[in-house]
Amino acid sequence: MGSPPAGGSRTGAGGLRAVRLHGWNTTLTLLGAWLLLIAISGLHRADFLAQQTVLAVTFTMAITGVLAVGQALVAISGGILDLSQPTSLILSAYVTSVLLALGVPTVVVVVVAVALGAAWGCLNALVIVFGKLNPIIVTLATNFIGVAALFLVFQSAQAPINSALRAFGRGYFLGLPDIWWPMVFLVLVVGWLLPRTRYGRRTIAVGGNRVAAQARGVSLRRTRFGVFTAAGACAGMAGLLFAGANAAFSPTAGSDFLLPVIAAVILAGVSLAGGRGNILLLLLSVGFLSTVPTSLAFFGLTSAWQTVFQGAILILAVAIDGYREKRARRLPRPRRRRAPGPRRARSPALAVAPGRC
Amino acid sequence: MTREIGLRHRWIRGGLALVASGTLASTLACSAPAAAPAAPTTAPAAKPTTAPAATTAPTTAAAAAAKPTTAAAADAKPTTAAAPTTAAAPAPTVAAAAGAAASKLKVGMAVGGNTCCEWMKYQGDVARALAEQRGWEYVELSNNNDGPTAVKNADIFVQQGVNAVIEFNGQPSVNPVLAQKFSAAKIPVITYDIAQPGFYFVGIDNLAAGLAGGQALGQIAKDKWNCQPDLVISAEGEGAGIVNTWRTGGMRDGLKKVCPDISEDRYVSFESNGQASVGLPVARDLLAAHPEARKMLVVGLNDGGVLGAIQAAEQLGRDQDIIGWGQDGSFITGPNVDPHLAGSVFYFLEGYAVYSFDKVLDPIAAGSPPPVKDTAGDPAARVEPCPVSAAEAQDIPDTQARAQQLLTAPRGTTEFQLFCPHK
């Protein structure tokens, strides 16, 4: 869990070892911070260590975690961030609510919701790839457009209260919220597949060094399309869970997720410069960030403090990310015997998995 | 590569600055539309809640009445708004509008633009339809629940030369600025629910509405739990300022009138911003921090906030003994009413325009402006609160249907007369 499968090295064997240790550092730091928070809260009030707290935290984790997977994929691929997640989330949630009200079978609704999110991601990718525009600006703009367009369609939406989805949104499996399990499943599957599949390694390679990836025959366009579509599908899935878990929502309801999702991605060690990150660590970062507001409530602090803490954590995380980048660049280059023939472009991901893209 | 990373980081910083500033949420919803109120003819940008929000051309009343949610086609003749005349008086500008001396007015409507509530959209639609019925010009802008936007909109109304303005401004801190601008332009203003000296007050007595709701909930608590709840949860909406104090605080006071012995430490609050989805996670944490509480009462600024707390209790498996009573009636009608929402206080907010036109604008158009009554205690038009239990609410149509029925009713008929079971 701690090793960074996604492009662990920037500078060969020595660097790879260092970054692996660094990956464990991230894991241990996150785990330690989370346990410390739990311990302090538990010392303050013993009833913090109760099932109600676990439920509150895991409910909060569910949607944030699913969105964080999509956001992490975008970051690892070098797409920086997808700021249009709130729109794809609400678009999916709204269509889910409408279809359920029309009596469409839940299975069909699930497929449509995820597909809709994927389509939104695909739309983003179209603009980014063919317009050759900066992803963060494009997704910021599409989010503006999307929210405004959603306002033209609806003001408030509700999934039918007696629908299977709403029951799922408040139900439990093995003592934990139903909606938490799809998040865990998604994190585990994506986290396992990313460094182990050809497509995953291409994603990492493009984020690590696009020139080198291109030299290896990796299609930037296709990869970016795939990444943004997958991220959109994640947001679509989150929208589905959101519609099930919320009694009612408005077109702007997704905006509150952006801050914790980005913070979770950075805290998990995903590099905003691309090419590095471990999806599995999202379980820790999302868990930690989801525990903060619950802990604050036990300290009697208002929800305004939650935003203060999340903002501070985000700044800290960005600073750590910048530090990591600098440190990675400063790692000593290993002395190698230069092989005869043309020099090869150096790529972190390709160094891990040479010739497999 | 280094250069690329540097460039990326600059983009990242720009994006994160938006995020970290805590304004992204509102920016996403509001800034783009709000940034564009340069001219009301670009109304769709100024008010995303209704497509053709700020068209100045009058539209057919019939079409609007049939479908108030959409703007109708424009075939009525737009009247040229008469510029405010010199008959000004320090006391707000009524004479000036009367001096327009035409039977047709150009009315500006600043809708609230809070994303919490569907009725805000219909409030504009009903006003539009009533203006169209009279053959008046109608200009609609959205305040986007944002003070600076409300101020910008005031400037636009002045530039447009409207004869009267209807304001639903959820950010009352800028009301003095609005008053100054409209007074200087000698434009009479009607304000909904939030009093401002010099503005005609049309609306509910929010405190009375809060008290009524609290007493209704208190009666349930008395019957069911002998006035001994474990927790009384308030779903606050601090952004609404004094309205939140009146409604949410009024509900607590109403509850105390029926159940005076509930100790203060059982009263807890959370910020819902008037939205179920915003309130849900906060209420969930609040409930987790009170794991011993079983019998719970919920009051709040509106139905949405109350619903957030109820949903939180359902998710934590503690919904057996939670009872909420809301305000505004947004989520107490239709097929999706939560069984734990025991009732709500209707104001029929979407129909406020009937009072405005009937009691203020028609007299102004007729050349006999009414005296300015600018307080909730002595309003230009008083809207009656209508506390309704969930069972009674089943017979009340939803917001859109109510708006449609209102527009087909005889002129001057109010929604209270049409729909309140306790007339």
Side-chain angles (χ1 to χ4, degrees):
Chain A
M1 187 167 180
S3 64
S9 168
R10 288 194 175 274
T11 52
L16 181 64
R17 191 165 54 244
V19 176
R20 270 186 181 155
L21 182 63
H22 168 78
W24 277 109
N25 279 346
T26 305
T27 307
L28 294 173
T29 306
L30 268 176
L31 196 60
W34 195 6
L35 290 174
L36 185 67
L37 179 65
I38 292 168
I40 291 171
S41 305
L43 285 172
H44 175 67
R45 276 185 52 184
D47 55 359
F48 180 81
L49 307 170
Q51 189 219 12
Q52 287 286 300
T53 303
V54 175
L55 287 178
V57 170
T58 45
F59 264 112
T60 307
M61 284 178 72
I63 295 163
T64 307
V66 173
L67 288 172
V69 172
Q71 196 71 267
L73 284 176
V74 171
I76 289 170
S77 75
I80 311 176
L81 290 171
D82 178 359
L83 296 182
S84 74
Q85 279 192 326
T87 292
S88 44
L89 171 98
I90 296 299
L91 178 66
S92 165
Y94 174 67
V95 171
T96 295
S97 303
V98 170
L99 292 180
L100 287 174
L102 292 172
V104 175
T106 306
V107 178
V108 177
V109 173
V110 170
V111 173
V112 170
V114 176
L116 202 60
W120 179 264
C122 200
L123 185 73
N124 277 328
L126 270 173
V127 179
I128 292 164
V129 168
F130 289 106
K132 295 182 178 174
L133 300 173
N134 186 289
I136 202 165
I137 299 300
V138 169
T139 53
L140 183 65
T142 54
N143 193 54
F144 275 124
I145 294 166
V147 170
L150 285 169
F151 265 119
L152 297 176
V153 180
F154 81 103
Q155 302 287 303
S156 177
Q158 290 177 279
I161 196 165
N162 295 321
S163 62
L165 187 68
R166 286 291 294 277
F168 185 77
R170 56 177 178 261
Y172 306 104
F173 176 67
L174 298 178
L176 291 170
D178 283 345
I179 63 168
W180 185 76
W181 293 102
M183 184 274 292
V184 174
F185 179 75
L186 186 72
V187 169
L188 293 178
V189 168
V190 177
W192 192 83
L193 287 179
L194 189 67
R196 291 174 179 82
T197 59
R198 176 180 292 185
Y199 177 77
R201 283 193 296 271
R202 285 178 177 179
T203 301
I204 297 161
V206 166
N209 187 332
R210 71 169 74 170
V211 177
Q214 268 183 315
R216 291 273 178 148
V218 177
S219 166
L220 291 183
R221 282 186 173 186
R222 211 177 297 161
T223 307
R224 189 145 283 182
F225 254 103
V227 165
F228 272 90
T229 305
C234 289
M237 183 177 164
L240 192 71
L241 301 178
F242 184 80
N246 277 274
F249 56 90
S250 68
T252 55
S255 306
D256 290 340
F257 287 102
L258 213 44
L259 187 64
V261 164
I262 293 171
V265 167
I266 301 173
L267 272 183
V270 174
S271 169
L272 290 181
R276 194 183 69 225
N278 187 344
I279 298 284
L280 297 174
L281 280 181
L282 287 174
L283 283 177
L284 288 180
S285 63
V286 171
F288 169 66
L289 286 172
S290 301
T291 308
V292 170
T294 310
S295 177
L296 292 177
F298 274 79
F299 279 94
L301 297 173
T302 62
S303 56
W305 283 100
Q306 173 186 335
T307 314
V308 171
F309 272 77
Q310 281 178 339
I313 290 169
L314 181 61
I315 291 169
L316 186 67
V318 172
I320 293 170
D321 181 57
Y323 172 73
R324 281 179 191 144
E325 283 302 317
K326 283 180 188 168
R327 195 159 172 265
R329 281 200 295 269
R330 265 193 257 127
L331 284 174
R333 294 183 176 188
R335 295 188 176 196
R336 293 188 221 169
R337 285 180 191 168
R338 190 169 292 166
R343 290 182 66 179
R344 291 190 304 178
R346 193 178 293 122
S347 159
L350 299 181
V352 173
R356 296 177 72 179
C357 290
Chain B
M1 181 63 185
T2 307
R3 206 173 154 190
E4 272 180 28
I5 291 171
L7 184 63
R8 284 172 184 163
H9 276 201
R10 279 199 292 279
W11 287 116
I12 294 161
R13 284 193 203 109
L16 291 178
L18 279 171
V19 176
S21 68
T23 58
L24 189 58
S26 57
T27 306
L28 298 178
C30 305
S31 287
T41 47
T42 58
K47 179 180 180 290
T49 54
T50 48
T55 48
T56 54
T59 57
T60 58
K67 195 181 179 189
T69 55
T70 57
D75 61 356
K77 294 184 181 71
T79 55
T80 306
T85 62
T86 54
T93 66
V94 176
S103 59
K104 293 182 178 180
L105 299 180
K106 183 174 184 178
V107 177
M109 167 88 205
V111 297
N114 191 336
T115 58
C116 69
C117 314
E118 204 170 24
W119 53 260
M120 287 204 184
K121 173 184 178 300
Y122 291 111
Q123 214 165 46
D125 290 341
V126 171
R128 177 193 299 277
L130 293 178
E132 288 161 354
Q133 283 175 2
R134 287 160 172 79
W136 295 355
E137 279 194 74
Y138 177 79
V139 182
E140 184 175 305
L141 299 171
S142 173
N143 286 336
N144 283 329
N145 197 32
D146 176 56
T149 306
V151 174
K152 281 183 197 169
N153 289 343
D155 289 332
I156 294 169
F157 284 135
V158 172
Q159 287 164 6
Q160 287 287 304
V162 298
N163 302 117
V165 168
I166 303 171
E167 277 282 350
F168 188 91
N169 178 23
Q171 302 296 322
S173 60
V174 298
N175 269 351
V177 182
L178 303 185
Q180 197 176 25
K181 288 178 182 291
F182 287 129
S183 177
K186 302 176 174 51
I187 298 171
V189 183
I190 297 166
T191 179
Y192 286 170
D193 277 346
I194 299 169
Q196 167 64 30
F199 288 5
Y200 289 102
F201 182 90
V202 172
I204 198 103
D205 182 341
N206 280 296
L207 182 58
L211 289 169
Q215 285 174 315
L217 184 61
Q219 199 54 52
I220 295 172
K222 188 176 182 180
D223 296 343
K224 201 169 177 183
W225 299 328
N226 195 27
C227 280
Q228 290 183 322
D230 297 328
L231 213 56
V232 180
I233 304 166
S234 296
E236 308 276 358
E238 296 288 354
I242 189 68
V243 174
N244 177 57
T245 307
W246 282 332
R247 285 194 200 165
T248 313
M251 288 196 80
R252 285 192 294 263
D253 291 343
L255 175 64
K256 285 173 185 171
K257 281 189 176 181
V258 182
C259 300
D261 296 329
I262 302 173
S263 60
E264 281 300 319
D265 62 344
R266 295 192 181 183
Y267 287 87
V268 294
S269 295
F270 72 97
E271 178 56 46
S272 72
N273 199 25
Q275 298 189 47
S277 59
V278 174
L280 170 65
V282 189
R284 207 162 46 211
D285 293 334
L286 181 77
L287 290 179
H290 293 84
E292 76 292 343
R294 286 289 170 266
K295 293 177 283 187
M296 294 177 284
L297 299 174
V298 191
V299 301
L301 173 71
N302 59 10
D303 283 3
V306 172
L307 210 52
I310 291 173
Q311 181 74 4
E314 288 173 353
Q315 289 183 343
L316 297 181
R318 292 161 62 185
D319 57 328
Q320 299 87 352
D321 286 315
I322 186 165
I323 305 167
W325 193 290
Q327 295 271 335
D328 81 7
S330 294
F331 292 107
I332 197 76
T333 57
N336 276 325
V337 180
D338 193 290
H340 303 287
L341 187 61
S344 185
V345 181
F346 278 88
Y347 324 136
F348 305 113
L349 290 137
E350 65 283 354
Y352 274 20
V354 171
Y355 298 90
S356 308
F357 279 71
D358 206 37
K359 304 289 185 190
V360 182
L361 295 176
D362 284 344
I364 288 175
S368 55
V372 175
K373 293 185 173 183
D374 55 11
T375 63
D378 183 23
R382 185 188 301 281
V383 178
E384 292 296 323
C386 178
V388 173
S389 70
E392 291 168 333
Q394 291 306 305
D395 297 327
I396 298 177
D398 65 18
T399 312
Q400 185 176 2
R402 289 201 304 267
Q404 286 173 338
Q405 288 186 38
L406 178 68
L407 293 173
T408 55
R411 184 181 282 198
T413 305
T414 65
E415 286 196 55
F416 182 86
Q417 294 165 338
L418 285 174
F419 304 116
C420 185
H422 308 293
K423 292 191 246 311

